[in-house]
Structure formats: C-alpha cells, structure tokens
Amino acid sequence: MFKRFKKTTIAAAVIATAGLAGAAIAQQKTIAIGTGGTGGVYYPLGGAVANVLSKALPNTQATAEVTGGSVDNLKLIASGQSEMGFSMADAALDAFKGEDKFKSGKVPLRTLLVVYPNRMHVVTVEGTGIEKFSDLKGKRVSTGSPGSATEVMAFRVIEAGGLDKDKDLKRERLGVAESVNAIKDRKIDAFFWVGGVPTAAVTDLAATPGLKIKMIDHAELADKMNAKYGKLYSASNISKSIYPGMDKDNANTEVWNIIVTNDKMKDEDAYNIVKTLVEKKADIVAVHKEAESFSLDNQVQERSPVPFHPGALKYFKEKGIGK
C-alpha cells in the first residue's frame, strides 16, 4: 500500500512539474523572421534584428530564417509559418492586393517599420560586350532567384528598358551568391540583384583578381516603371566608392524595404517590436550600416504601400511622428 502511495505521489509530482514546465514554454514567444539568401543584406540584418529582439523582449526567442527573399517571406506570413519578414515595397503591394505572384489570395499585411532603400544592381564584368542596358539583348542573364523580389523588380526594369524577358534574354534564375559564382565561371554575362549596399556577394565579385566589375546605368527607367506599377520606384545612385574597381558612380533605380507582419499580430507586440528596433538601432548598425535607415524620419506612409500596424502607429505618435 505504501509503495503504491509513494509511486502515485511521485507520478503526481512529475505531472505537476511537467505542467509547470509546459506553462513556462507556453509563455515563451517565438518569432520567425523571413530574410533572404546568405549572400544578401536581409539575412545579416535579420540575424541582428532577431538577436536584439531576443535580448530586449522578455520570454521571446526570435530567429532569422534563410529564404528565397521577399515573395517567399510574404507567403510564409500568409501561411502563418513566419511572424515577420523583410520585403520590398513592390512585392508587398502585390501581396496586399492579391496580384502577380499572389493571385491565389490577398495577404492581410501590416507594416511594422520602413527600413532602408534597395538599389537595383545590374552587374557585369569587362569582356562581355555589355556597355549599356540595351546590350543585354541576347546575353545570358540571371534575373534573381524564384521567390525573390529581385525577380519581380528585374522583370519590370527589363520591360521598361524595352526588352522581353523571355525572348530577348537567355535567362537564369539565380540568387546573388550563385550569380556571382556563375559570372566568375563565365556561365552568365550579367545579373540583376536588388539589395542594400554594400552587398557582400557583389563586393566579393568586385574584389576578384582578374575581373573588373561594371554596373549598368538605368535610372531613367524609374518613370516608366512608376507609370505602370504606381509610385514605388525612384532614380538612385551607387557611389563608385562602394565596390572595389568601379570607375564611376552607377545611376540606378531603388525601392524601399519594409518589415511586415500579419494583421493578427497583437498591438502590444507590434508596439514593443518597433520600439525595440528603433531604440536599439545602434546594435543593428554594428552588423550592417543599412540599419542607419531604421529611423523615425523614414516612417512615412508614402514609403510603404501597406498600412502601418496600429501598434507601430502608437509608438510613432508617442515620438511625435504623425501619419
């Protein structure tokens, strides 16, 4: 009888302990953050964001996930597999409206933070015969990996430049790191990549002995893109000091990046996340300087085609930023 009582007591204690542990686990919030490929800027920035959130927010574990980029991130949010994600504004607008790659349904997105501008790199090297945008015709060109916003914007740039993406190019679909390797091996002649500056993979190409990087100007195409897709793009510039071996500044196009979430995120959580990212910006800048743009000055609706989350708006209002 005593043995049975002892076993029962022990069993009850084990169950009670497990219950307490379960409660503790239940209180732990996990935040999956969709980023991009390892050769781009989303991934290191996402890692820094995850680290800052995990340290600053109680009972929170945030992780940066390697993905194909903006389109993948938006689909992961739609399916509930990610709580947050980086996206270019144009891809986010497509998801919000249920267009292009999101014709299966609208994604109920909300913007947490406008982060930094992405510059469209049209990259080649000496010896390919590509001097201007129209010279891409007939060449082997990567337009970005499937699931990336590089592909979305590249198609729009190509269209605005008067070329047919399917008929005029021998097209590959590679991420930035794979594109760099392919151009080094002379398997492609040029590639499109839209990202922050400097992008590590492009720096790697520019610093490769025996190769000289060339960036193709196309800033004049922004107006044509905006005429068709809405005011998302603007003319921009990559200084020749950004990548080794550039002879001149590159006149290109840019689009803003945003961090988005599902409209189901609680206002309190959105408020705390945005507050942390703005106020711990220095910790993120230490990983990549594009985080300098994680500032209140950039939190204007014109830079995000997706509405801000109410929790984000509450923090902006406290800081005197009107929407």
Side-chain angles (χ1 to χ4, degrees):
M1 184 72 177
F2 177 74
K3 285 182 181 178
R4 190 188 307 165
F5 175 76
K6 189 175 181 181
K7 286 179 182 178
T8 304
T9 304
I10 292 170
V14 169
I15 291 168
T17 304
L20 290 171
I25 291 168
Q27 290 173 356
Q28 178 93 3
K29 290 179 184 174
T30 57
I31 301 174
I33 305 169
T35 63
T38 56
V41 176
Y42 280 180
Y43 182 67
L45 264 185
V49 165
N51 190 42
V52 162
L53 293 178
S54 295
K55 286 182 177 178
L57 302 181
N59 301 317
T60 298
Q61 182 61 51
T63 56
E65 309 288 345
V66 176
T67 70
S70 296
V71 174
D72 276 1
N73 295 343
L74 296 164
K75 289 181 176 179
L76 288 167
I77 287 173
S79 66
Q81 292 173 268
S82 290
E83 284 69 42
M84 294 166 54
F86 285 79
S87 177
M88 279 165 43
D90 49 3
L93 180 59
D94 285 346
F96 188 68
K97 294 169 70 176
E99 297 177 350
D100 199 354
K101 294 178 183 287
F102 299 90
K103 287 178 181 174
S104 59
K106 297 178 182 180
V107 183
L109 295 173
R110 293 294 179 267
T111 296
L112 291 171
L113 202 68
V114 175
V115 282
Y116 66 96
N118 256 6
R119 277 88 169 189
M120 175 55 83
H121 301 55
V122 184
V123 184
T124 186
V125 292
E126 276 195 349
T128 60
I130 302 170
E131 300 292 334
K132 56 187 183 300
F133 197 84
S134 59
D135 293 336
L136 291 171
K137 187 171 183 177
K139 300 296 186 181
R140 301 166 299 172
V141 182
S142 171
T143 52
S145 61
S148 71
T150 292
E151 189 175 67
V152 173
M153 187 171 173
F155 289 173
R156 295 177 182 184
V157 173
I158 291 163
E159 178 187 42
L163 297 178
D164 186 297
K165 63 180 173 61
D166 298 313
K167 295 177 182 177
D168 292 332
L169 306 178
K170 297 169 184 173
R171 191 158 58 86
E172 300 288 344
R173 304 175 78 193
L174 307 173
V176 64
E178 294 80 13
S179 291
V180 166
N181 289 334
I183 211 166
K184 285 181 183 180
D185 295 338
R186 303 292 183 172
K187 291 178 179 176
I188 61 172
D189 302 303
F191 66 88
F192 285 77
W193 161 252
V194 65
V197 295
T199 291
V202 180
T203 300
D204 173 54
L205 176 65
T208 301
L211 291 178
K212 184 169 179 59
I213 195 172
K214 297 179 74 172
M215 306 277 276
I216 305 304
D217 291 343
H218 63 280
E220 74 283 358
L221 302 179
D223 288 343
K224 284 186 179 179
M225 294 161 68
N226 286 337
K228 181 167 183 178
Y229 297 103
K231 192 166 173 51
L232 294 165
Y233 306 101
S234 55
S236 185
N237 181 75
I238 296 177
S239 168
K240 65 181 180 181
S241 64
I242 295 293
Y243 296 112
M246 285 178 63
D247 290 332
K248 61 185 182 68
D249 292 354
N250 173 234
N252 57 22
T253 51
E254 74 175 17
V255 63
W256 281 85
N257 289 294
I258 53 182
I259 296 178
V260 292
T261 186
N262 191 289
D263 66 351
K264 300 294 187 294
M265 178 177 277
K266 292 179 181 178
D267 290 2
E268 181 185 4
D269 291 338
Y271 173 92
N272 289 331
I273 288 168
V274 172
K275 181 177 189 291
T276 300
L277 295 184
V278 172
E279 297 181 4
K280 299 287 186 182
K281 184 177 80 171
D283 293 343
I284 307 171
V285 171
V287 174
H288 200 289
K289 68 177 186 177
E290 286 287 18
E292 288 286 5
S293 296
F294 285 35
S295 64
L296 289 169
D297 292 345
N298 286 326
Q299 307 314 310
V300 290
Q301 194 67 70
E302 288 75 17
R303 289 182 173 166
S304 171
V306 172
F308 281 103
H309 194 290
L313 290 174
K314 180 185 175 184
Y315 176 71
F316 301 152
K317 186 176 180 181
E318 286 181 2
K319 292 298 178 179
I321 305 296
K323 293 292 161 292

